[in-house]
């Protein structure tokens, strides 16, 4: 049932090109985004003044990425909340708010409770869900499915990737209706979206290089992931992938915050994974890389092809192919997933069933 792969996690990472393509292609009609099942009128979409994205774990990280995407493309203010926090903080529900609940299983107790809380306040809820007919899918006012197929490994990979895609599509759909992107921009972005599956495949085929690198870090004690903006969001997911399956302590930090705390933990040989996919932030990131290297860190950089400047500062560089700046997380996550996976198997961990974790958290 693992289709020749050693673990479900590896199989599911390899299913990402297909999962992404299955999530994308039914929603792209020529140069337009059409989300038939959404059931929201253009008038409703135009009236949205605020979005809450609410989720747990990796699904929350997908929302962190998409805060930048919704705000940048559709110009709608977005707050991203952990479901377990949102429910208990007496959130402010104003008219023209949309609540988006993101969940692979559609059964996560806190996410479901947040959905009910929003509905009780008369706020429309859109579920971005993978499991068809799950509780969140049934109770939400609108549903958009991520067509990742069944995910068995506890650590999410392909479902996470489709959560990113579904939200890009939604942001673009909103932008299209609200007129915040031009037809040419939309056309270009659709072209970039269509290239993602092949680009993901290409990155997956680079796995030996990452395995080789990962083997050097199976005895690591702490690893830090740093980035700015959208790259901070992917750092959070990269850090979770590593720690949940390899049991190595890791932390994601907004690169600009380093000197307000984490930098005191950097020692000789500490691994810092720096993600820099946003051209406008290269310079700032490179100076953060220099800061940690001066303190002895070994720096792995994940950056765009063509960013040669970083070679002079980082110790080891992994390149991702060119895409729109809003979509880079779909590519940058692939080497980070592979890194977590290979460190964990190098340590002999049970990657598909990490200790203490359940695939679907149905208790509060
Ligand atoms: C991490 C992981 C979890 C889930 C979280 C939410 O690899 O899988 O953090 O993302 O438990 O689960 P869903 O998406 O089912 O609500």
């Amino acid at each position: 049932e693992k289709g020749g792969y050693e673990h479900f996690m590896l199989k599911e990472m390899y299913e990402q090109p297909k999962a992404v393509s299955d999530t994308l292609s039914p929603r792209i009609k020529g140069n337009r985004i059409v989300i038939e099942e959404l059931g929201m009128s253009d008038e409703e979409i135009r009236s949205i003044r605020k979005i809450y994205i609410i989720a747990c774990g990796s699904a929350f990280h997908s929302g962190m990425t998409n805060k930048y995407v919704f705000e940048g493309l559709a110009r709608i203010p977005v707050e991203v909340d952990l479901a377990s926090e949102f429910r208990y903080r007496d959130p402010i529900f104003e008219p023209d708010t949309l609540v988006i609940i993101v969940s692979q299983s559609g059964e996560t107790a806190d996410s479901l409770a947040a959905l009910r809380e929003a509905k009780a306040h008369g706020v429309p809820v859109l579920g971005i869900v993978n499991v068809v007919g799950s509780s969140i899918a049934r109770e939400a006012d609108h549903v958009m499915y991520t067509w990742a197929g069944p995910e068995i490994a506890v650590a999410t990979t392909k479902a996470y990737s489709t959560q990113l895609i579904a939200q890009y599509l939604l942001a673009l759909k909103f932008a299209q209706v609200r007129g915040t992107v031009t037809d040419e921009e939309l056309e270009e972005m659709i072209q970039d979206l269509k290239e993602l599956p092949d680009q993901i495949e290409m990155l997956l085929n680079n796995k030996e290089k990452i395995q080789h690198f990962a083997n050097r870090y199976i005895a690591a004690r702490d690893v830090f992931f740093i980035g700015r903006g959208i790259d901070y969001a992917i750092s959070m997911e990269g850090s979770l992938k590593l720690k949940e399956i390899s049991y190595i302590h890791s932390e994601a930090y907004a690169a600009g915050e380093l000197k307000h705390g984490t930098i005191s933990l950097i020692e000789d040989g500490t691994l810092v994974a720096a993600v820099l996919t946003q051209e406008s932030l290269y310079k700032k990131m490179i100076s953060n890389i220099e800061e940690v290297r001066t303190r002895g860190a070994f720096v792995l950089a994940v950056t765009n092809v063509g960013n040669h400047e970083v070679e002079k500062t980082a110790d080891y560089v992994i390149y991702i192919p060119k895409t729109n700046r809003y979509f880079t997380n779909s590519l940058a996550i692939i080497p980070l997933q592979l890194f977590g996976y290979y460190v964990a198997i190098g340590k002999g961990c049970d990657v598909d069933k990490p200790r203490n974790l359940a695939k679907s958290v149905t208790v509060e």
Side-chain angles (χ1 to χ4, degrees):
E1 56 188 359
K2 288 181 201 152
Y5 290 95
E6 205 179 333
H7 300 103
F8 281 110
M9 187 179 170
L10 188 63
K11 173 173 180 268
E12 288 162 5
M13 284 193 279
Y14 268 83
E15 285 170 349
Q16 290 181 110
K18 181 177 187 306
V20 163
S21 163
D22 290 349
T23 305
L24 273 176
S25 46
R27 279 95 182 217
I28 295 176
K29 303 262 152 70
N31 291 327
R32 312 297 284 172
I33 307 290
V34 181
I35 308 171
E36 264 153 20
E37 72 274 33
L38 191 62
M40 288 176 79
S41 68
D42 285 1
E43 202 183 323
E44 267 174 274
I45 292 171
R46 269 192 289 268
S47 71
I48 300 168
R49 292 177 60 187
K50 177 176 188 157
I51 296 175
Y52 281 115
I53 303 177
I54 301 162
C56 303
S58 297
F60 168 78
H61 297 155
S62 80
M64 287 296 294
T65 295
N66 280 289
K67 170 184 171 68
Y68 298 93
V69 182
F70 278 103
E71 291 188 343
L73 296 176
R75 309 303 296 157
I76 306 170
V78 178
E79 244 184 271
V80 193
D81 249 300
L82 292 165
S84 56
E85 288 294 315
F86 181 80
R87 310 176 44 185
Y88 299 112
R89 73 174 168 87
D90 195 10
I92 298 165
F93 292 107
E94 286 179 325
D96 303 322
T97 297
L98 174 69
V99 164
I100 301 177
I101 308 274
V102 186
S103 176
Q104 187 285 127
S105 62
E107 302 296 346
T108 301
D110 282 314
S111 304
L112 183 59
L115 174 155
R116 289 178 179 154
E117 172 85 7
K119 279 189 79 175
H121 285 82
V123 172
V125 176
L126 162 64
I128 296 186
V129 181
N130 195 47
V131 176
V132 177
S134 55
S135 303
I136 293 174
R138 285 195 318 267
E139 293 191 28
D141 301 292
H142 311 277
V143 184
M144 183 176 177
Y145 282 109
T146 51
W147 297 115
E151 194 178 61
I152 311 290
V154 165
T156 182
T157 53
K158 63 174 180 169
Y160 169 80
S161 280
T162 60
Q163 286 165 349
L164 289 179
I165 298 291
Q167 291 168 82
Y168 302 161
L169 287 165
L170 195 67
L172 277 174
K173 165 80 189 168
F174 287 2
Q176 175 183 297
V177 171
R178 296 163 71 98
T180 48
V181 291
T182 65
D183 285 352
E184 295 77 67
E185 286 168 334
L186 190 61
E187 201 174 313
E188 243 172 67
M189 283 190 267
I190 287 177
Q191 206 42 52
D192 285 332
L193 285 177
K194 285 181 176 168
E195 283 172 27
L196 288 175
D198 285 347
Q199 293 174 325
I200 292 171
E201 181 99 55
M202 208 188 94
L203 288 162
L204 286 166
N205 290 336
N206 207 10
K207 69 176 190 312
E208 269 88 33
K209 187 179 164 195
I210 292 165
Q211 178 168 24
H212 190 74
F213 180 80
N215 280 334
R216 290 160 47 182
Y217 284 95
I218 54 180
R221 197 183 58 179
D222 310 290
V223 177
F224 297 94
F225 291 77
I226 60 170
R228 287 170 182 259
I230 238 170
D231 294 331
Y232 172 42
I234 209 64
S235 299
M236 291 174 157
E237 178 59 10
S239 170
L240 178 58
K241 285 285 90 78
L242 176 69
K243 73 181 120 189
E244 68 180 338
I245 57 174
S246 77
Y247 317 138
I248 291 173
H249 165 251
S250 73
E251 240 181 88
Y253 235 68
E257 268 292 292
L258 270 178
K259 45 176 141 341
H260 300 283
T262 298
I263 202 150
S264 66
L265 296 168
I266 305 291
E267 297 172 338
D268 227 13
T270 305
L271 178 63
V272 174
V275 186
L276 12 22
T277 69
Q278 304 297 301
E279 244 179 279
S280 60
L281 298 167
Y282 280 174
K283 273 212 171 64
K284 292 276 164 203
M285 278 302 296
I286 287 173
S287 63
N288 295 132
I289 291 174
E290 278 161 0
E291 276 164 16
V292 292
R293 281 202 74 223
T294 312
R295 276 124 187 130
F298 186 94
V299 177
L300 161 72
V302 178
T303 192
N304 302 320
V305 66
N307 180 11
H308 297 300
E309 195 55 33
V310 79
E311 283 165 19
K312 294 182 210 143
T313 9
D315 298 283
Y316 198 88
V317 184
I318 292 169
Y319 288 108
I320 60 161
K322 220 180 131 31
T323 187
N324 182 279
R325 69 187 161 105
Y326 289 110
F327 308 150
T328 54
N329 279 1
S330 289
L331 302 176
I333 193 55
I334 305 297
L336 299 182
Q337 290 172 343
L338 288 167
F339 178 70
Y341 173 78
Y342 282 118
V343 171
I345 60 165
K347 286 185 70 171
C349 299
D350 183 356
V351 285
D352 282 340
K353 283 198 174 59
R355 68 187 180 207
N356 308 341
L357 290 174
K359 181 65 182 161
S360 169
V361 185
T362 52
V363 291
E364 300 184 11

